[in-house]
Amino acid sequence: MSKLSITGCGVLMALVAAPATAVETDYALKTDIAVVDQTPGDFGRQDKNHSVQAYLDATPWMRFQFNQHWSGFLRVRLFAPTGIVQTNANDNNNVGPTNQAFLGLKEAWVDYAGFRYPGESIRLGRQRVRQDDAMYIDQDVDSARWIFKTTLVQSELGVGREFGTYRTDDVGLPPDQKHRLYVFGTLGGEWKAYQRIGVRMMYVHDDYNVPQPGQVTNVGTKLSAGNLLWVGAFLHNHYYDGADAPPFAYNASINWLSGNQRTALVDPLTRAVTDVTDRRVSHAWAADVAVRYRLPVEKFPLQLGAAYVYSSGGHGNDLSSQYSQTGLQSNYSRFTGTDSLTQRFTDAYRADLGNLKVATAFASMNMGQWNTSFIYNHFDRVHGDAPVYAENISALPVNTTGSLGQGYDLVVTRFFGKKIAHTDLLSSDEPASSVRFRGSVFKPGSAYGPNARNEYRVSLELVLWM
């Protein structure tokens, strides 16, 4: 466990040990039971069958209010699957599909709010750091963070590092997250009512020397290191506020990436390093625009929307202009205008930005406790000789054509029961019990060859808050 988390947990336990009359506590338990039917993600190349698995994901939390200025939060997790399965949410407690049951620590932090402004605080420990679009960051991170949230200004500045998955089954971090320091910040505000503008940044430093030619590696070895800087700007009118968003909602963002990276090239048979390459990252960028309109019919509140994302790609061995995301993103957001978190780039595909163009059209409805979203995505490569990445797909393109494929998602949710307290601490959750159906199909394009089969992921999920 990291020194930062030990510090946060230590302060938290010391404060908890204060006299019981001095500490106000709130607690809740979220239990998620799901059944998932999913294809293997190889487009039928290895003739593998689909699998049907189930899992239990229980996350109790407790909030402590020690006095007017000090508070704390603790959230743990029990995960138990029937076989190899990936959860619907993408977080670093579940770094990939697993068949192992485990106990995990999600959050353990203390917060000091004794400053001049009511919405200002310093938070220390393992904590959820999330931005509305989830394309920069949406993870539990060991970090120290200054938070400033008032009616007109919403900003933060933090430093963090992934020290582990905090799981009892000792599953390690993905290689690219090891030995990596993050510095991140956002400065945003309302320039007029319901019109938000802002800038954001993230700096990554890898404190690591990559393996040298001749060294033998394993699948957990970190093969790249460097320094990367993302700088971006955004403009929207509370587009991600779900059912509370305005009838006409828009969102626009642009991000630039620069820096340098050193990468070890590995022989796939012997796992020995054959060469080490250096690249300068420049002229890498990504942009996202979206609009959504809710029809003014009270009994039939249909919302129609469209979005387009462009992320630059490299050329062959020259990846200096290849955009990539930070590695802390989840791409789960409320972009369709409902209160359900939905995968932005097709749940059966789960693309990451970089050498990618995505055109999106969707329709959604909020009918009281019911909401529904239907989403269509069309995926193309910017350059056929540069890489693309998708978390649910193990097969690579077989040619240099641009068409990657099309995605279709249907998400239907029925909420019930009362909302739990302190929803401001649960931005990556939906704070009410629900039954949800997720159905997703990815139809591969010509880039994956003429005989590539469709991939799908279907899940039925019951979430109970107690």
Side-chain angles (χ1 to χ4, degrees):
M1 186 177 290
S2 70
K3 293 181 179 179
L4 188 60
S5 284
I6 290 175
T7 302
C9 288
V11 175
L12 180 60
M13 293 303 103
L15 291 170
V16 169
T21 55
V23 180
E24 297 179 9
T25 60
D26 296 299
Y27 58 90
L29 168 65
K30 177 188 175 185
T31 304
D32 186 349
I33 303 170
V35 178
V36 180
D37 183 359
Q38 183 172 5
T39 47
D42 62 357
F43 301 123
R45 295 178 187 177
Q46 300 181 28
D47 290 325
K48 294 181 179 179
N49 294 323
H50 70 101
S51 66
V52 180
Q53 303 293 343
Y55 64 81
L56 167 70
D57 194 357
T59 55
W61 62 258
M62 182 171 287
R63 179 184 179 274
F64 308 92
Q65 188 68 48
F66 305 108
N67 53 48
Q68 182 182 357
H69 302 313
W70 285 94
S71 62
F73 190 77
L74 179 67
R75 189 172 189 176
V76 296
R77 181 185 195 185
L78 167 64
F79 184 77
T82 61
I84 298 178
V85 66
Q86 173 67 295
T87 60
N88 285 315
N90 180 20
D91 67 74
N92 55 342
N93 242 178
N94 259 60
V95 296
T98 181
N99 61 356
Q100 299 294 314
F102 62 84
L103 290 171
L105 173 68
K106 290 186 67 65
E107 296 184 74
W109 50 259
V110 291
D111 185 278
Y112 175 74
F115 297 102
R116 177 180 178 182
Y117 296 96
E120 184 179 10
S121 68
I122 296 289
R123 188 168 296 173
L124 174 68
R126 183 169 173 82
Q127 55 190 288
R128 190 73 175 196
V129 185
R130 174 181 168 83
Q131 296 181 354
D132 288 338
D133 63 0
M135 291 189 185
Y136 252 53
I137 189 168
D138 181 22
Q139 296 285 358
D140 301 318
V141 183
D142 299 294
S143 56
R145 188 161 57 123
W146 169 77
I147 304 168
F148 189 88
K149 288 188 178 181
T150 64
T151 304
L152 297 179
V153 179
Q154 306 89 36
S155 302
E156 69 175 7
L157 180 64
V159 57
R161 183 167 177 169
E162 296 275 30
F163 287 94
T165 59
Y166 299 91
R167 289 168 40 165
T168 56
D169 59 351
D170 295 326
V171 170
L173 287 169
D176 63 348
Q177 294 301 314
K178 298 177 180 178
H179 309 285
R180 172 167 281 193
L181 177 72
Y182 290 92
V183 179
F184 52 89
T186 304
L187 174 62
E190 310 281 324
W191 63 279
K192 61 184 298 186
Y194 289 96
Q195 306 295 324
R196 189 172 184 225
I197 189 170
V199 294
R200 57 186 176 180
M201 60 76 65
M202 180 173 289
Y203 171 74
V204 165
H205 171 68
D206 288 307
D207 182 19
Y208 179 74
N209 294 319
V210 301
Q212 295 302 300
Q215 288 185 243
V216 177
T217 65
N218 56 48
V219 292
T221 301
K222 184 179 177 74
L223 298 177
S224 63
N227 300 280
L228 296 172
L229 175 65
W230 288 261
V231 178
F234 57 85
L235 178 70
H236 63 78
N237 63 338
H238 292 257
Y239 181 88
Y240 294 101
D241 283 7
D244 295 328
F248 175 76
Y250 70 88
N251 175 68
S253 67
I254 187 166
N255 300 287
W256 294 270
L257 170 63
S258 62
N260 57 80
Q261 270 193 323
R262 170 165 286 194
T263 303
L265 305 180
V266 174
D267 186 300
L269 297 178
T270 65
R271 298 295 305 176
V273 176
T274 58
D275 195 11
V276 176
T277 64
D278 293 285
R279 73 162 178 141
R280 175 71 182 174
V281 183
S282 60
H283 309 296
W285 63 283
D288 177 24
V289 294
V291 293
R292 188 179 64 242
Y293 178 68
R294 183 168 63 245
L295 300 181
V297 181
E298 184 177 350
K299 293 184 178 180
F300 192 70
L302 178 66
Q303 300 180 104
L304 300 175
Y308 185 78
V309 176
Y310 179 97
S311 56
S312 62
H315 284 284
N317 294 326
D318 180 9
L319 298 180
S320 60
S321 59
Q322 177 94 7
Y323 186 82
S324 62
Q325 292 184 265
T326 64
L328 296 180
Q329 78 282 350
S330 74
N331 295 332
Y332 274 83
S333 66
R334 297 176 175 87
F335 72 95
T336 65
T338 73
D339 290 330
S340 296
L341 290 166
T342 306
Q343 168 59 231
R344 178 66 178 82
F345 302 120
T346 302
D347 203 26
Y349 193 58
R350 299 191 186 183
D352 288 337
L353 293 183
N355 192 36
L356 187 68
K357 298 182 288 184
V358 187
T360 304
F362 60 87
S364 65
M365 291 185 67
N366 289 299
M367 299 287 290
Q369 293 178 313
W370 287 91
N371 68 54
T372 303
S373 298
F374 178 75
I375 307 154
Y376 167 78
N377 283 305
H378 185 88
F379 299 88
D380 286 289
R381 284 188 286 189
V382 177
H383 299 296
D385 58 353
V388 291
Y389 301 98
E391 293 180 13
N392 272 5
I393 302 298
S394 58
L396 299 176
V398 297
N399 53 51
T400 59
T401 58
S403 177
L404 293 170
Q406 303 171 74
Y408 306 85
D409 287 77
L410 176 64
V411 182
V412 182
T413 305
R414 169 64 160 89
F415 289 105
F416 58 91
K418 297 181 180 180
K419 287 188 175 182
I420 62 167
H422 304 294
T423 57
D424 58 313
L425 303 176
L426 304 168
S427 60
S428 60
D429 274 325
E430 293 134 3
S433 299
S434 65
V435 177
R436 176 174 293 116
F437 169 83
R438 296 181 190 267
S440 180
V441 175
F442 180 75
K443 183 179 180 180
S446 56
Y448 293 107
N451 300 316
R453 300 178 189 172
N454 293 349
E455 298 289 335
Y456 71 83
R457 176 183 171 89
V458 177
S459 65
L460 183 62
E461 183 179 7
L462 172 64
V463 175
L464 297 174
W465 277 104
M466 295 176 284

